[in-house]
Amino acid sequence: FTTQLHLLTTRAMKQGRGERLTTASLYLALTYIFFETILWFRLPDDTLHVYERNSLLFFFLISLTSSIIISSVPVLKKEHGLFLRERNKGLYGTLPYFLAKTISDTTTSVIFPLIHVSVVYFTTNLRLTPLAFLTFLLVFYISITTAQALGMLLSVALPTLQIALLITPTINIFLMIMGGFYIPLDNFPGFIKWIKWCSYATYGYSGLLVNEYQGRSIPCAQHDDSSSDSVEYAWDCPRDGNDVLASLGLHES
């Protein structure tokens, strides 16, 4: 197994040399960082900016995982015939081939996105504790590798590359809708509520939210009124982070 994995990984990386680390992918990552920093720069950590904070976390998922899924679809489709011939000859098994393809795509599908979100994490003032940052990276890593695996699954499950490229974005959009940002998890109709547990976005977005809010209080958003001594607050404050999670359908078990 280890020999097969090593040889297949080496071959896949040689075949993709020049395609994994491209100028275009670097520019794309820098563009995302630029616009995300401008739109969500140094978000105030208060009750008035909870929605903006949630929207940033969901945008991480919807932007990066969508591109990873689409880019993963052609990976296995282009080599489907070669894979079947070599497997039938007993040269290697399915698992080492899948792992080799996953590892060879690490630069574009994993390393770049993780560097991207690591930079934006601090420029946008997300939860600034070492444990929260490491947990954020772990949840995001699991989310993007799951998205990558989903793209490969759809690549082999659908009959042609054209059909796969047509249907995959539709499936991904539906999974994103089930993630809990557009509609709170408790508000889905009963007959489709179970589908949310089939969506990687549900687990990814929920994990990012729990990491951001659980176990802490969100300070009051204060607006000084120069014409009076009154102070205006958004929501009840300081607001318990668990209350924010409960309002989004994430209840403590």
Side-chain angles (χ1 to χ4, degrees):
F1 175 85
T2 55
T3 301
Q4 294 176 6
L5 178 61
H6 172 71
L7 293 175
L8 288 169
T9 301
T10 302
R11 184 178 74 173
M13 295 186 72
K14 288 181 178 180
Q15 289 173 339
R17 185 172 296 169
E19 298 178 2
R20 309 300 178 197
L21 185 59
T22 64
T23 303
S25 60
L26 176 60
Y27 283 155
L28 180 62
L30 292 175
T31 301
Y32 270 125
I33 292 173
F34 176 74
F35 282 107
E36 288 166 355
T37 300
I38 289 178
L39 294 173
W40 286 281
F41 181 70
R42 302 302 297 170
L43 281 173
D45 186 19
D46 58 37
T47 54
L48 190 61
H49 293 85
V50 168
Y51 178 81
E52 286 86 346
R53 197 169 290 268
N54 297 349
S55 67
L56 174 61
L57 295 175
F58 191 75
F59 184 78
F60 282 149
L61 281 179
I62 198 171
S63 60
L64 297 178
T65 58
S66 295
S67 61
I68 289 172
I69 287 179
I70 299 302
S71 64
S72 298
V73 168
V75 170
L76 299 184
K77 212 63 176 177
K78 292 179 179 178
E79 298 184 7
H80 188 233
L82 176 64
F83 164 71
L84 291 178
R85 289 194 302 271
E86 293 182 341
R87 191 189 64 171
N88 290 336
K89 292 179 182 179
L91 297 180
Y92 50 78
T94 302
L95 181 59
Y97 178 81
F98 170 76
L99 292 177
K101 283 298 181 182
T102 302
I103 294 171
S104 67
D105 285 338
T106 297
T107 300
T108 301
S109 299
V110 177
I111 295 179
F112 268 16
L114 287 179
I115 294 175
H116 164 189
V117 297
S118 296
V119 173
V120 179
Y121 188 94
F122 293 102
T123 61
T124 56
N125 195 37
L126 293 177
R127 191 173 186 176
L128 296 176
T129 66
L131 180 59
F133 175 65
L134 294 176
T135 304
F136 171 86
L137 291 181
L138 176 61
V139 173
F140 197 77
Y141 168 76
I142 294 173
S143 299
I144 58 180
T145 52
T146 303
Q148 182 183 24
L150 176 61
M152 292 183 178
L153 172 63
L154 295 174
S155 174
V156 298
L158 298 171
T160 66
L161 178 59
Q162 291 76 12
I163 293 177
L165 291 174
L166 179 66
I167 294 179
T168 298
T170 304
I171 294 176
N172 189 54
I173 288 174
F174 179 72
L175 294 177
M176 284 293 174
I177 292 173
M178 302 299 295
F181 177 74
Y182 299 109
I183 304 173
L185 297 175
D186 286 342
N187 294 354
F188 286 112
F191 67 95
I192 65 169
K193 183 176 288 189
W194 61 272
I195 301 178
K196 67 185 180 183
W197 302 119
C198 301
S199 169
Y200 71 90
T202 299
Y203 299 97
Y205 183 52
S206 299
L208 295 176
L209 288 173
V210 170
N211 180 60
E212 184 66 23
Y213 295 118
Q214 190 176 60
R216 75 181 186 99
S217 295
I218 304 170
C220 302
Q222 299 185 8
H223 299 278
D224 294 327
D225 187 348
S226 58
S227 62
S228 67
D229 295 329
S230 63
V231 178
E232 180 185 351
Y233 296 99
W235 292 344
D236 297 330
C237 60
R239 187 173 178 83
D240 192 289
N242 293 329
D243 290 342
V244 176
L245 297 175
S247 70
L248 298 171
L250 298 174
H251 305 280
E252 289 185 289
S253 58

